[in-house]
Each structure stands twice: as structure tokens, then as C-alpha cells.
Amino acid sequence: MFVREKYENEKFRKAAQNIYKLFVKAESVLSYNSPAMLIAVYGSILMLSWLGAKAIVGGTLTTGELTSLFSYVMNIMMSLMMLSMAFVMITMSLASGRRIAEVINEQSDLVSPQEALTEVKDGSIDFNHVVFLINMVVEKLFKRCDLHIQKW
């Protein structure tokens, strides 16, 4: 029998399930990442505001310098958030790359015989006593069919 639908469907299901699990794992890392980064951003803003207010009252810092510090902190934090998102995307793309490599490196189960016919001398095709099955149905669709296709 040449029908391998169940086998191929199971193989595809396993590969899709593996990719799904890796995607969920990467998304869960990303879901913890965003709150952690926001806590770091707002924590640093609060700390900077508190220390900056003390420094402004003490006369060692101006309001313009404090505003510049806020800009620097926000730029650094946004860069860190982008870096962490890139890390998650790389994790997901590695999973996809592994699956692509697996598909490319898959060896075919169909092997040509050593001394296979490569030419048809008169151009005609004959199928003698062939049985056709569709979708692994127990009953045979065509039993012992003979098909003769003559050369034009």
C-alpha cells in the first residue's frame, strides 16, 4: 500500500505540537519579561525622582539635569526591553529553524531500484491486475483493473 496518510498526519501533529510547546514557553518568558522591565523602569524613575529631588534641594543638581537623567534612563530601559524581545524571537526562530532542517534532511522512503527502467521503448503504458484503494478503505475501489494506454 502506498497510502501513508495516518503516519504523515501523526508525524505532522508531533512536529506541530513541539513547535507549539516551544512557542508557549517563549511567550511565557516574554510575559514575565514585560512586568519585570516595567518594574525596573518605574522603580528607577521613583528612585531617580527621590534622589534627584534631594539633590535639587541640596543645590547639586538642576531640574534640566534631572530631566536629562530621566531621558537617559528611559532610553536604556527601552533598549533593554528590545534586547529581551529579540532574545525571545531568536528562541522561537531556533525552533522553526530546527523543524525546517528536519524537513530538509528527511530521507525519502521511496527508493528507486538499481536497474530501473528509464525509457519506454514504444511509448505505451500497461497496468495489469492493479488494485486501487482510496483512504485505506477496506473495500477495494477497483479490483484487478487492466489499463492499456497506447502510443499516439
Side-chain angles (χ1 to χ4, degrees):
M1 290 187 199
F2 296 100
V3 180
R4 297 171 32 132
E5 185 175 3
K6 287 182 183 178
Y7 170 75
E8 292 298 330
N9 282 340
E10 184 63 24
K11 186 176 172 184
F12 176 76
R13 189 192 64 74
K14 285 180 183 177
Q17 189 70 23
N18 186 30
I19 290 172
Y20 171 77
K21 286 178 183 177
L22 289 173
F23 183 76
V24 168
K25 182 180 177 183
E27 284 296 321
S28 67
V29 169
L30 184 61
S31 70
Y32 290 121
N33 183 30
S34 183
M37 285 294 177
L38 288 177
I39 288 171
V41 167
Y42 292 129
S44 64
I45 287 174
L46 283 173
M47 182 70 81
L48 191 59
S49 297
W50 185 59
L51 294 175
K54 286 181 131 189
I56 289 173
V57 170
T60 58
L61 190 68
T62 64
T63 55
E65 292 171 336
L66 181 62
T67 305
S68 295
L69 284 174
F70 281 132
S71 296
Y72 297 148
V73 167
M74 290 303 290
N75 283 335
I76 290 170
M77 290 299 173
M78 289 301 156
S79 297
L80 288 175
M81 286 180 77
M82 290 297 155
L83 184 64
S84 65
M85 290 175 136
F87 175 74
V88 170
M89 294 298 166
I90 288 171
T91 304
M92 289 189 293
S93 63
L94 284 174
S96 297
R98 282 190 210 107
R99 177 62 186 143
I100 290 169
E102 181 181 321
V103 169
I104 289 173
N105 295 330
E106 180 72 22
Q107 296 296 321
S108 175
D109 293 340
L110 301 175
V111 180
S112 296
Q114 289 289 333
E115 297 179 16
L117 291 176
T118 58
E119 284 185 21
V120 179
K121 293 180 183 175
D122 63 354
S124 63
I125 300 172
D126 290 326
F127 291 103
N128 296 317
H129 307 294
V130 178
V131 177
F132 291 99
L133 297 174
I134 291 185
N135 238 0
M136 302 298 285
V137 177
V138 176
E139 293 183 28
K140 296 172 182 158
L141 184 62
F142 295 108
K143 299 177 183 178
R144 297 166 125 204
C145 290
D146 293 335
L147 176 65
H148 306 286
I149 302 173
Q150 299 298 322
K151 176 183 167 186
W152 286 75

